[in-house]
């Protein structure tokens, strides 16, 4: 690409090696979660939420299980100020939930922020100022010492107004644009703030290290986090927090490696809503932990319901391929994938195992409120015989012989390919019923009657071109006798008759389903199915269905004496 030389790496590795996080395999416990949907997420919406919508969304976040929720920037907007006062005055904040508000390091903003918080049971006041090289040089045109003074002045003002305001307050500081700041300077400014606040075990402080703009590969961010964790003053009384954005598409990786590096808290949003490419997606982070057998401490057991509320409130859409939440993330169209999933599900059922190891499915869709039938096996022209037969077995109780699956699979794929669309289970069922079940042309089965001596002697009533006739055959069973009668009468032969039958449904009114495959002289196998309340009758109907498919496929005309004219 052109212009590549204009870009440089505007981030900084720590001055000392910080790689202890590389020795950890996975995250062993959930962090403290803080939702910033109602502030960072809301400010990024084309149409920000109204007061009523914010109140409803707040209830959604409580239902998910968030114990820390950033509710806004109350000094910046009357809607956000009114929202915060409504939460406090109407006692809508549960006792175990902490609200959080954002403020710049400017006295009139800090003053109004504490005014909005009057009477809060517990609130985090989040102070920030930008510290990166680019911001210092281009925006503020200030030295490092002047930037430190902004932070320290703000820290002092928070202590002053907290002491004068009714409520219970915890402090948080963010060196905004941390990822573009020299790590030693980030450490210097954070420690300067900590010296003002002097946190204790009973009054801990949050130091939040945001990837305001994601600038590096995730391992660099992790090294920066570990460096800060190792060198912050008052570390045992500091809650180290992350706020990753997703500019490079690595927000989840940044957060996960940052937690390995010592972070105890994560700020993010549902489905990654936020400025530019968004914040880190807490749903993905939490369910990634869940997939490793670690309880994330949040409730996504009914994820489709959460998606519906989110889309209605934000007027945004969850992408179909969004991890865990997208409509297609558990869907398998590929034949090999479908076959593996179907066999994996069958193996789980047979072995009664506890651990989830189904191929291609990271977690059990039902654990987050998804359905196998609607979500897992999806049928189009790319689908395979295993997936197609799985759909009919799960939805309609039809259990094809293995040899029949290929024949029906091609029939379904041809329809999907012709229509250029995905086929729903009812459409697949309709294809099966039309093309395989109780086929009545050109030879229609009416009924039969049998007598038995050494062999069965069976008289079969048939209809051809609206004319009735009876044919007779003998065999070692009723089905064999009917088969012999058909071959004798019509002068056709077939071999390797494949037969399977099962009950279609439980109960006294259950139907029997029979499948029959007939191999013609050219080794083509023709499949038919019969469904009837009587098991033998269902077998005879399956035989007629297969034979009729053979007659039509081979284009064997029937003369007026009802025998087949061979070409």
């Amino acid at each position: 690409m052109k212009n590549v030389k204009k870009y440089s790496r505007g981030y900084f590795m720590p001055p000392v090696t910080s790689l202890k996080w590389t020795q950890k395999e996975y995250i062993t416990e959930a962090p403290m979660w803080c939702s910033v949907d109602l502030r960072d997420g809301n400010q990024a919406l084309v149409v920000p939420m109204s007061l009523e919508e914010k109140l409803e969304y707040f209830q959604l976040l409580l239902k998910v299980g968030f114990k820390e929720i950033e509710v806004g920037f109350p000094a910046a907007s009357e809607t956000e100020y009114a929202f915060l006062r409504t939460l406090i005055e109407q006692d809508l904040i549960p006792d175990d939930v902490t609200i959080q508000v954002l403020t710049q390091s400017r006295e009139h903003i800090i003053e109004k922020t504490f005014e909005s918080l009057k009477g809060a049971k517990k609130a985090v006041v989040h102070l920030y100022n930008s510290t990166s090289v680019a911001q210092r040089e281009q925006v503020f045109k200030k030295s490092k010492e002047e930037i430190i003074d902004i932070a320290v002045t703000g820290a002092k003002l928070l202590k002053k107004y907290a002491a004068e305001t009714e409520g219970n307050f915890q402090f948080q500081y963010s060196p905004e644009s941390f990822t573009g700041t020299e790590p030693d300077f980030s450490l210097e400014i954070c420690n300067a703030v900590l010296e003002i606040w002097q946190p204790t075990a009973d009054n801990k402080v949050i130091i939040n290290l945001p990837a305001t703009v994601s600038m590096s590969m995730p391992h660099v961010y992790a090294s920066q986090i570990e460096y800060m964790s190792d060198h912050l003053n008052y570390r045992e009384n500091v809650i180290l927090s992350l706020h990753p954005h997703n500019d490079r598409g690595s927000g989840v990786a940044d957060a996960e490696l940052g937690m390995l590096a010592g972070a105890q808290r994560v700020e993010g949003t549902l489905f990654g809503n936020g400025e530019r490419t968004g914040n880190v997606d807490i749903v993905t982070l939490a369910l990634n932990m869940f997939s490793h057998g670690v309880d994330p401490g949040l409730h996504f057991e009914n994820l489709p319901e959460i998606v519906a509320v989110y889309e209605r409130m934000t007027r945004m859409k969850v992408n179909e391929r969004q991890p865990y939440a997208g409509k297609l993330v558990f869907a398998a169209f590929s034949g090999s994938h479908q076959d593996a999933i179907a066999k994996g599900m069958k193996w789980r059922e047979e072995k009664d195992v506890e651990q989830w190891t189904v191929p291609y499915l990271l977690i059990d869709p039902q654990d987050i409120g998804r359905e196998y039938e609607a979500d897992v096996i999806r049928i189009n022209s790319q689908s395979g015989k295993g997936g197609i037969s799985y759909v009919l077995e799960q939805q309609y109780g039809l259990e094809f012989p293995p040899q029949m699956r290929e024949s029906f699979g091609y029939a379904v794929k041809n329809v999907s390919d012709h229509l250029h669309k995905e086929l729903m289970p009812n459409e697949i069922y309709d294809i099966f019923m039309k093309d395989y079940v109780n086929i009545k042309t050109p030879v229609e089965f009416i009924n039969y009657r049998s007598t038995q001596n050494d062999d069965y002697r069976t008289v079969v009533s048939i209809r051809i071109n609206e004319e009735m006739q009876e044919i007779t055959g003998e065999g070692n069973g009723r089905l064999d006798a009917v088969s012999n009668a058909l071959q004798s009468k019509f002068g056709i032969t077939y071999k390797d008759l494949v037969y399977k039958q099962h009950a279609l449904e439980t109960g006294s009114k259950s139907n029997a389903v029979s499948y029959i495959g007939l191999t013609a002289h050219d080794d083509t196998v023709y499949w038919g199915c019969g469904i009837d309340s009587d098991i033998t009758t269902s077998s005879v109907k399956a035989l007629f269905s297969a034979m009729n498919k053979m007659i039509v496929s081979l284009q064997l005309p029937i003369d007026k004496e009802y025998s087949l004219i061979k070409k």
Side-chain angles (χ1 to χ4, degrees), residues 62-343:
L62 294 179
K63 187 174 182 179
V64 170
F66 285 102
K67 300 303 180 185
E68 296 185 18
I69 300 172
E70 189 170 76
V71 295
F73 196 147
S77 162
E78 284 305 313
T79 298
E80 302 208 348
Y81 187 97
F83 173 53
L84 178 53
R85 293 311 307 161
T86 301
L87 292 176
I88 295 172
E89 292 170 6
Q90 295 188 14
D91 197 23
L92 298 175
I93 307 167
D95 292 341
D96 63 344
V97 171
T98 301
I99 57 171
Q100 178 172 302
V101 294
L102 186 70
T103 180
Q104 294 173 333
S105 185
R106 300 167 68 184
E107 184 165 8
H108 72 284
I109 293 177
I110 292 172
E111 180 182 14
K112 188 167 185 179
T113 299
F114 276 94
E115 177 187 305
S116 72
L117 284 169
K118 185 178 180 180
K121 296 175 185 177
K122 187 175 182 183
V124 172
V125 184
H126 181 185
L127 174 73
Y128 77 96
N129 68 301
S130 198
T131 61
S132 69
V133 174
Q135 293 270 12
R136 295 195 317 258
E137 292 179 348
Q138 301 171 36
V139 180
F140 300 106
K141 296 181 171 59
K142 292 183 182 296
S143 66
K144 289 181 178 180
E145 291 72 21
E146 290 173 307
I147 295 296
I148 291 174
D149 185 62
I150 292 172
V152 168
T153 299
K156 291 177 180 178
L157 288 170
L158 256 63
K159 285 189 69 173
K160 173 181 180 294
Y161 282 98
E164 298 171 355
T165 305
E166 175 194 354
N168 181 11
F169 306 109
Q170 183 179 19
F171 299 151
Q172 173 173 326
Y173 175 68
S174 289
E176 191 201 5
S177 60
F178 166 77
T179 46
T181 305
E182 308 91 328
D184 52 350
F185 180 55
S186 294
L187 181 66
E188 182 181 359
I189 196 168
C190 287
N191 279 336
V193 169
L194 289 171
E195 284 304 321
I196 302 301
W197 289 339
Q198 296 189 359
T200 65
D202 295 327
N203 188 23
K204 292 187 177 183
V205 161
I206 301 167
I207 293 295
N208 186 58
L209 303 175
T212 308
V213 178
S214 177
M215 305 175 74
S216 68
M217 293 174 67
H219 75 287
V220 175
Y221 186 58
S223 295
Q224 293 167 340
I225 299 302
E226 187 169 277
Y227 171 77
M228 296 292 288
S229 180
D230 287 347
H231 295 90
L232 279 170
N233 295 338
Y234 303 95
R235 180 64 183 92
E236 68 278 8
N237 298 324
V238 169
I239 299 169
L240 192 59
S241 177
L242 307 175
H243 185 116
H245 278 248
N246 198 42
D247 302 87
R248 290 171 52 91
S250 59
V252 169
D254 286 339
E256 290 182 326
L257 298 191
M259 282 188 276
L260 292 180
Q264 302 145 287
R265 182 177 183 269
V266 175
E267 295 185 347
T269 59
L270 299 179
F271 313 115
N273 181 30
E275 294 281 14
R276 305 181 309 280
T277 55
N279 290 279
V280 68
D281 176 11
I282 286 182
V283 177
T284 299
L285 272 176
L287 292 176
N288 281 355
M289 295 178 61
F290 181 74
S291 75
H292 285 167
V294 178
D295 186 354
L298 296 174
H299 299 291
F300 297 116
E301 292 88 350
N302 192 348
L303 196 52
E305 178 184 333
I306 296 170
V307 170
V309 175
Y310 168 84
E311 292 186 335
R312 178 165 54 85
M313 292 290 100
T314 65
R315 301 166 182 84
M316 297 179 70
K317 293 294 182 183
V318 173
N319 187 276
E320 290 180 334
R321 298 295 181 186
Q322 178 91 2
Y324 302 105
K327 291 181 179 179
L328 296 180
V329 296
F330 294 108
F333 291 100
S334 161
S336 62
H337 289 204
Q338 292 174 341
D339 184 60
I341 290 170
K343 288 176 179 174

Side-chain angles (χ1 to χ4, degrees), residues 392-506:
L392 288 188
E393 181 175 349
Q394 295 296 310
Q395 294 261 0
Y396 299 102
L398 296 165
E399 302 174 18
F400 294 172
Q403 307 96 314
M404 185 180 181
R405 294 173 183 171
E406 184 171 4
S407 170
F408 183 60
Y410 279 120
V412 171
K413 290 166 67 171
N414 286 340
V415 172
S416 176
D417 194 32
H418 177 72
L419 297 176
H420 300 289
K421 62 174 291 226
E422 177 187 357
L423 297 179
M424 297 296 104
N426 65 301
E427 295 175 301
I428 300 167
Y429 179 75
D430 288 344
I431 293 170
F432 177 69
M433 294 298 292
K434 175 179 177 291
D435 291 354
Y436 289 84
V437 179
N438 297 351
I439 298 175
K440 299 178 180 180
T441 56
V443 183
E444 180 182 0
F445 166 72
I446 304 300
N447 57 45
Y448 73 92
R449 59 184 185 275
S450 295
T451 58
Q452 180 183 9
N453 293 313
D454 292 335
D455 287 331
Y456 282 89
R457 185 175 187 277
T458 302
V459 178
V460 186
S461 297
I462 61 175
R463 179 185 289 122
I464 302 175
N465 298 327
E466 302 302 323
E467 296 184 30
M468 299 289 295
Q469 184 175 354
E470 289 187 342
I471 59 176
T472 303
E474 294 184 356
N476 55 20
R478 292 186 181 89
L479 183 61
D480 186 49
V482 174
S483 176
N484 290 334
L486 290 172
Q487 292 185 85
S488 174
K489 177 62 181 178
F490 295 125
I492 60 174
T493 59
Y494 44 77
K495 57 184 179 179
D496 300 332
L497 186 148
V498 178
Y499 172 68
K500 178 183 178 180
Q501 62 82 23
H502 64 82
L504 184 59
E505 56 189 0
T506 58

